Structure formats: structure tokens, C-alpha cells
Amino acid sequence: MPAFAEARVDLDVISANVAALRERAPNSHFMGVVKADGYGHGMIPAARAMLAGGATWLGVAFIEEALEVRRAGIDTPLLAWIVPPGAPIGAAIEAGVELGISDPWVLDATVAAARAAGRPARVHLKADTGLNRGGITREGWPEVVEAAARAEAAGVLQVTGVFSHLARADEPADPGARDSVQAQLDAFDEALALADKAGLRPEVRHIANSAALLTRPDSHFDLVRPGIAAYGLSPMPDLRDIGVRPAMTLAARVALVKRVPAGSGVSYGHRYVTDRETTLALVPLGYADGVPRAASNIGPAALGGRRHVIAGTVCMDQFVLDVGNDPVEAGDEVVLFGDGENGVPTAQDWAEALGTIPYEIVTRVGVRVPRTYRSGAVS
Ligand SMILES: Cc1ncc(COP(=O)(O)O)c(C=O)c1O
């Protein structure tokens, strides 16, 4: 392990997770979502591991991310779905990056960029079927599919996909959420029918994220688009066992230990006070590294196979564990989260302690923390 801390990523685990997830949607293409630096795991290694596991597409949020994938020499079909004003659309077209069209202005800008580039843009039209985030509204959809069909006929556009995104797929036990998913699937069918009527014949229709991949086979269409499950974490707090393993372990080395008497206030604000003579271990990871300050006095960590809770305030670069009389010395390994074996907490445990979701825990691991990779096949 590097001197102070590391995020260890097991790429074989990512590949195995993808292979296991593919079995749940055997007739659909598999778009591995690697945005946000591969959910904190490292975008390029994660992308390669997903491809090794059987992914046939890759998905990112931004064109800049997609261009980085291309620069790494990965030529798999690749979709970038957030195109803000000023985005490098021309560069995306040149690099063969497919673009999500979430608003009429994006279609216009993409057609203009394709004309300038002298080659057609490959696009996926995004229908807003009820998330009310990105995507073309039901009212705007007929006009957009007509315009896209005209641009296709003019040879400046290829509509390779039509897609949407679900709002409540991660609550499969909630009848209201199930109704919401059904309403979105119905609206998606309508959007697809209108696209078809306009003469569009997309290669891939897609709406399923990890949760829908796992719980709604009727949402799989031609392609599924999971992120979190490929990294081994469940999108559904009530359904932890989804047949995958967490790929990332966040670990640090104890920087120093000290013995203190009962009544010692610990860290900023003395928000933790020792109730007996005890040993404190200093762990060199802080909120700059993605350990939320909100984890003060609640975040779990394992040391020598035993679970502890952070003592006092998480600082920018460090926090403290009160380990009682457990033997500990500088250099010992502390695991904040990992695969859940041998007393090690998971990112899901962190999410539950903090009232958030595991996505936020893994994506926030800071740039100062070196990622190290283990893999038999990929590096
Ligand atoms: C459009 C889109 N598709 C798919 C995903 C993957 O979702 P998940 O990580 O829940 O599988 C995301 C992630 O937020 C997304 O924004």
C-alpha cells in the first residue's frame, strides 16, 4: 500500500460482476456506465474491466469523459448523455461518440456540428417519460422525432438509439414506485411508437439502470445501462444481495497511536470525550479525501478485524479511532469500506450511517487517494 492510504480496486471483480449481470439480461446489449471516473474506481480501468466482462457499450455523462475513453484507445460504442451549451459536439462526432439528445436545442446544435464536420452524428433521442430531469417532453417529442427523421434523410444524422431514465426503479417493494415505473414504461412505448411512425429505426432502445435490470425484465429492451451494480453495490437499500461483490476497498495506514486518560476530548470541538483510559489511532484520511465530515462520531472502520466508529470530528486530512485496549501500532491497516468480509464495513454501511446512498460514498473518494488495481487479465 502507498504510504498513507489507497483505494484498491479489483478489476476482476468488476468483470465478474458484469458477467453475472449480463445473465440477468441475456438478450440485451450491456452499456457499462463509467461516468464520474468510473464511480470513483478509475474510468479507464473500469471501462476495460467491464468490456472484459462482456459489456458491449460504454456510457458516460459528458463528452469530455467520452473523449478520454477514446484517447485511451477504446473504440467500443460509446454514449455521452449530458450536452450542455458549449459542449465540444464537433469533437464528439469526429471521435465517433454518440450523443444523447435531451432537448430540441441539442438536436439543432448537433445537426449544425455534423454539417460542419462533414459526417453524420450518431445520436440517441432521450424521452422524458416522467423523471422530469433531462429528456424531451411528451409535448416536444413529435416535433423532435420529425426533425430528426428529416436530418437523417438529409444524411447529417443517424438516430441509433431512443432512451429514457427511470425515477423510482430502486424501490421495487413500494407499490407507488412500481406504478411509477409502469407509467414510465408505458410513456416510453408511446415515445417509441411515435419515433417509429416518423420513420426512425433505432438500433437500441434503452431505459434500464441497475435497479431496473435487476427487478424489471420488462424494462430491458435492446440494451441495459447499469452503473452501480457493476461496481458491486446495490442500488436498492432493501435488496443488498444482488449477486455481485464490491470492487473497491478504501484503506489507510495508522499514522500514530497514543494512550490518553479518561475524559480526553478528541479532535476539533471535542465532540468525542474518552470515557476511560484508552488508545487513540490517527488515520490519515479526511473530508478532502471523501470521508464526509458528517461521518464524525458515526462512520465505521475496521482495524485488525474489529469494527470501530470514528471518534470525534473528521478533519480535512485525518480522523481518530478510539480502539480501547486493542493492540495497534503505526502502520497498521484501517479499512473504511470494502467487500463486507471479516468485519469490514461496506459502502452501503457508510451510506446507511450517513443517510445517503453508496453511489455518493464511492464517487467522492478524493483525487489525493491513489487508486491501485488488482487484476489477472486487465490493467
Ligand atoms: C442516464 C443514466 N443511465 C444509467 C445510469 C446508471 O445508473 P445506476 O448506477 O443506478 O445503474 C445513470 C446513473 O446515474 C444515468 O444517469
Side-chain angles (χ1 to χ4, degrees):
M1 181 185 352
F4 77 104
E6 68 179 350
R8 280 196 289 274
V9 177
D10 192 325
L11 297 171
D12 291 344
V13 166
I14 294 180
S15 301
N17 290 343
V18 169
L21 293 166
R22 282 203 61 192
E23 286 175 20
R24 313 283 285 257
N27 302 317
S28 303
H29 278 282
F30 189 106
M31 179 185 287
V33 178
V34 294
K35 63 185 173 141
D37 200 26
Y39 286 40
H41 295 65
M43 181 167 65
I44 301 302
R48 293 213 166 99
M50 289 200 194
L51 295 172
T56 48
W57 282 71
L58 294 170
V60 293
F62 298 106
I63 292 172
E64 287 81 354
E65 295 176 305
L67 295 177
E68 201 180 320
V69 171
R70 286 289 186 251
R71 276 196 298 274
I74 298 172
D75 58 6
T76 313
L78 172 60
L79 174 65
W81 53 68
I82 303 182
V83 184
I89 297 175
I93 295 169
E94 298 285 355
V97 172
E98 311 203 8
L99 296 171
I101 305 292
S102 272
D103 194 80
W105 83 257
V106 185
L107 183 65
D108 294 343
T110 301
V111 166
R115 284 192 203 286
R119 60 184 273 188
R122 293 168 65 87
V123 303
H124 297 224
L125 302 179
K126 184 171 191 183
D128 186 349
T129 54
L131 179 60
N132 288 315
R133 198 178 69 175
I136 295 148
T137 59
R138 181 179 246 135
E139 295 68 39
W141 186 254
E143 207 169 302
V144 167
V145 291
E146 294 291 343
R150 281 195 302 276
E152 216 173 45
V156 287
L157 205 71
Q158 285 168 7
V159 178
T160 47
V162 172
F163 75 120
S164 189
H165 196 44
L166 296 166
R168 301 191 65 184
D170 55 344
E171 308 163 77
D174 183 311
R178 285 203 300 274
D179 288 350
S180 161
V181 170
Q182 190 56 54
Q184 284 200 258
L185 292 177
D186 293 345
F188 191 48
D189 281 337
E190 254 179 61
L192 289 169
L194 285 170
D196 189 73
K197 205 170 132 204
L200 300 177
R201 300 288 179 269
E203 292 160 24
V204 285
R205 302 157 297 162
H206 48 109
I207 192 167
N209 55 5
S210 295
L213 160 60
L214 293 163
T215 64
R216 294 291 300 231
D218 54 340
S219 73
H220 292 175
F221 291 91
D222 309 306
L223 178 149
V224 292
R225 221 171 52 223
I228 197 76
Y231 300 101
L233 295 163
S234 175
M236 298 162 286
D238 298 334
L239 196 62
R240 274 177 168 232
D241 187 7
I242 56 168
V244 293
R245 275 180 54 210
M248 186 197 287
T249 299
L250 180 62
R253 283 194 193 287
V254 171
L256 59 86
V257 297
K258 60 180 56 155
R259 203 68 191 158
V260 298
S264 302
V266 176
S267 192
Y268 288 135
H270 283 175
R271 294 201 284 158
Y272 179 87
V273 179
T274 57
D275 60 2
R276 67 220 182 291
E277 184 183 323
T278 189
T279 300
L280 301 179
L282 183 71
V283 182
L285 277 175
Y287 56 77
D289 306 301
V291 181
R293 195 165 181 275
S296 302
N297 280 329
I298 53 174
L303 176 64
R306 296 264 307 257
R307 279 262 193 134
H308 300 279
V309 168
I310 291 174
T313 303
V314 175
C315 311
M316 187 182 293
D317 320 296
Q318 50 195 317
F319 65 82
V320 175
L321 291 179
D322 175 350
V323 301
N325 292 322
D326 285 1
V328 55
E329 52 186 58
D332 286 355
E333 181 172 281
V334 174
V335 180
L336 283 78
F337 58 80
D339 63 6
E341 307 280 323
N342 304 320
V344 165
T346 60
Q348 179 63 37
D349 294 328
W350 271 78
E352 277 166 26
L354 275 101
T356 182
I357 53 177
Y359 301 68
E360 192 174 359
I361 301 299
V362 289
T363 55
R364 285 212 175 174
V365 174
V367 291
R368 189 164 61 176
V369 181
R371 271 63 171 172
T372 58
Y373 295 99
R374 200 201 76 77
S375 165
V378 198
S379 58

